[in-house]
Amino acid sequence: MSRKDPKATPASTGASRRLPLLMALACGVSVANVYFPQALTPLVARGFGIAPATAAVVATVTQLGYAAGLFLLVPLGDRLPRRPLITGLLTLTGLALLAAGLAPASGLLLAAGGVVGAATVVPQLLLPMAAGLVEPDRRGSVIGTLQAGLIGGILLARTFGGVLGEHLGWRAPYLIAAALTVLLAVVLGRALPGTAPAAQGRYPSLLADTLRLLRDERQLRRSVFFQVTLFGGFSAAWTALALLITGPRYDLGTQTVGLLALIGAGSMFCAPAAGRWVDRLGADRVNLWCLLAALAAAAVLTAGLLGGATGLVGLAVGLLLLDVAVQCGQVANQARIFALRPEARSRLNTGYMTCAFLGGSAGSWLGARAYATLGWGAVCALVGLAGLVALATYAVGGRGRYGARSDRSQPVTAAR
């Protein structure tokens, strides 16, 4: 990674050591809006008198909305000043969360959840922004810091949703999240530096560039494949977990799901270290460790079939391993793609994250169906299969500091 972002340098943007911490906090608070509905599935089902599998569609629709927002909105980070774009999207998210919390019927909750997912793409605007505000030799470390915020948001979101939902009802997490998101919009509006757009082309060209990058950049496709497989297994496990914990094997409340997520939040401390390992050893080495951890997680999660305290311990350890695998892999993958073309970081991230969350949405759907049809053992097998498929393709790749050589031939020009 030798080229600097042509539109921003560390000196000119004043990227202090404190700013990445604030951006990490913003990533966590905003991304939590995609994940806390997963812990509310049984409560939503009871509240509207629908089947748990039907209520689980709320989480799936939110993730599909997120995937749509990634593809349609994140490329604007290369075209528009990021600060007003970020604050505007946060405000829209807050309004959609308010609508979800007040929804009188499941159909309106689904619609509001889709809007929440589409607008909650702020972390994927902050990540390429942060990558352009620091020196190249700190990029992996800073990505790891922001990724730690993302991990905290993803995992603590389930604690937030499960505990509040258990005591105050499923609407409370939506309403509280709405207030926090609007507050975050105000804080970031004052704290983020101004940045000049990197591209000047029309909006359709930005979208087309995303597809061209997926076609042309072999290392982007490599990162996409690793994350789609692992994140699909991750989403399958977490979507089915609430059904397992509240089902007849354990017969516990959603608060237990939140506590398991709290244990898994320990993985957030691994992300900054993963960033340093990427800077020192390369992304491929970190990816390999993550794939092996995912396979180990699939095996350990089968202990959930035992029930009782032993089963809960097995679930906690397995979920922690799976969280570490997915989140540290994310650090490696994004360090790899942000090293490819500095002028197109938002579009690179668009292609990567859109595919990742399509994989996550598919994983949520498959996980719910696997559990309903064959039980928790089938979910564990699904996680293991995803890890094996990723490991089978690991050896395919080039060489280089950030994982492998890039196969790019010409810079992106369509959106300039």
Side-chain angles (χ1 to χ4, degrees):
M1 183 186 302
S2 60
R3 292 185 294 173
K4 295 183 179 180
D5 190 329
K7 297 296 182 180
T9 64
S12 64
T13 57
S16 71
R17 299 281 173 170
R18 292 186 298 274
L19 182 59
L21 296 178
L22 175 60
M23 297 171 84
L25 177 63
C27 286
V29 172
S30 55
V31 80
N33 297 323
V34 179
Y35 290 94
F36 75 76
Q38 290 181 346
L40 300 176
T41 294
L43 300 177
V44 171
R46 291 199 294 268
F48 287 121
I50 57 179
T54 303
V57 175
V58 174
T60 301
V61 167
T62 303
Q63 285 192 321
L64 285 172
Y66 193 55
L70 287 168
F71 184 75
L72 297 174
L73 299 177
V74 172
L76 293 173
D78 286 334
R79 179 64 181 83
L80 301 175
R82 288 193 178 105
R83 182 170 58 190
L85 178 61
I86 287 168
T87 56
L89 287 174
L90 285 171
T91 302
L92 177 59
T93 302
L95 293 175
L97 286 165
L98 178 62
L102 300 176
S106 59
L108 292 176
L109 176 61
L110 285 172
V115 175
V116 168
T120 309
V121 294
V122 166
Q124 306 312 324
L125 293 167
L126 289 171
L127 276 160
M129 183 180 189
L133 293 176
V134 298
E135 300 88 347
D137 60 0
R138 286 186 57 214
R139 192 162 292 144
S141 176
V142 169
I143 291 172
T145 299
L146 267 66
Q147 189 64 26
L150 274 169
I151 297 166
I154 291 170
L155 299 178
L156 295 179
R158 299 181 180 95
T159 304
F160 167 82
V163 173
L164 285 181
E166 186 79 14
H167 293 285
L168 301 177
W170 69 265
R171 296 181 187 273
Y174 281 101
L175 298 176
I176 294 172
L180 290 174
T181 302
V182 172
L183 176 62
L184 180 62
V186 175
V187 172
L188 289 184
R190 296 177 61 87
L192 290 179
T195 56
Q200 301 297 324
R202 296 179 179 179
Y203 178 66
S205 296
L206 294 175
L207 299 183
D209 277 349
T210 297
L211 299 176
R212 277 190 285 270
L213 287 165
L214 283 167
R215 179 195 66 193
D216 296 340
E217 291 288 353
R218 187 167 181 269
Q219 294 309 314
L220 174 58
R221 297 195 304 273
R222 182 176 171 83
S223 295
V224 161
F225 187 81
F226 287 150
Q227 197 64 10
V228 164
T229 50
L230 292 196
F231 190 53
F234 173 91
S235 298
W238 276 105
T239 299
L241 179 69
L243 303 176
L244 173 68
I245 293 298
T246 59
R249 189 181 300 274
Y250 288 93
D251 195 24
L252 298 171
T254 56
Q255 184 171 339
T256 304
V257 180
L259 292 176
L260 286 171
L262 188 61
I263 294 171
S267 63
M268 67 186 292
F269 299 106
C270 296
R276 293 190 293 272
W277 295 334
V278 169
D279 286 336
R280 292 174 54 196
L281 303 173
D284 269 13
R285 181 76 62 85
V286 176
N287 277 136
L288 177 59
W289 296 342
C290 293
L291 297 179
L292 295 175
L295 290 173
V300 175
L301 284 171
T302 60
L305 294 168
L306 299 175
T310 302
L312 287 173
V313 170
L315 289 173
V317 174
L319 290 169
L320 177 59
L321 276 172
L322 187 58
D323 292 340
V324 168
V326 173
Q327 308 305 342
C328 292
Q330 177 94 319
V331 174
N333 292 329
Q334 288 187 308
R336 183 187 289 114
I337 67 172
F338 291 151
L340 297 175
R341 302 187 184 190
E343 79 283 357
R345 286 195 177 109
S346 287
R347 284 161 284 174
L348 286 163
N349 204 36
T350 294
Y352 170 76
M353 290 302 303
T354 300
C355 293
F357 271 85
L358 286 173
S361 299
S364 291
W365 185 85
L366 289 171
R369 296 309 179 274
Y371 182 83
T373 305
L374 299 172
W376 180 250
V379 177
C380 297
L382 189 62
V383 175
L385 178 62
L388 285 173
V389 170
L391 189 61
T393 62
Y394 170 79
V396 179
R399 305 272 180 168
R401 180 183 179 193
Y402 280 87
R405 62 179 177 83
S406 169
D407 288 345
R408 67 181 181 271
S409 55
Q410 298 295 331
V412 175
T413 57
R416 289 183 177 177

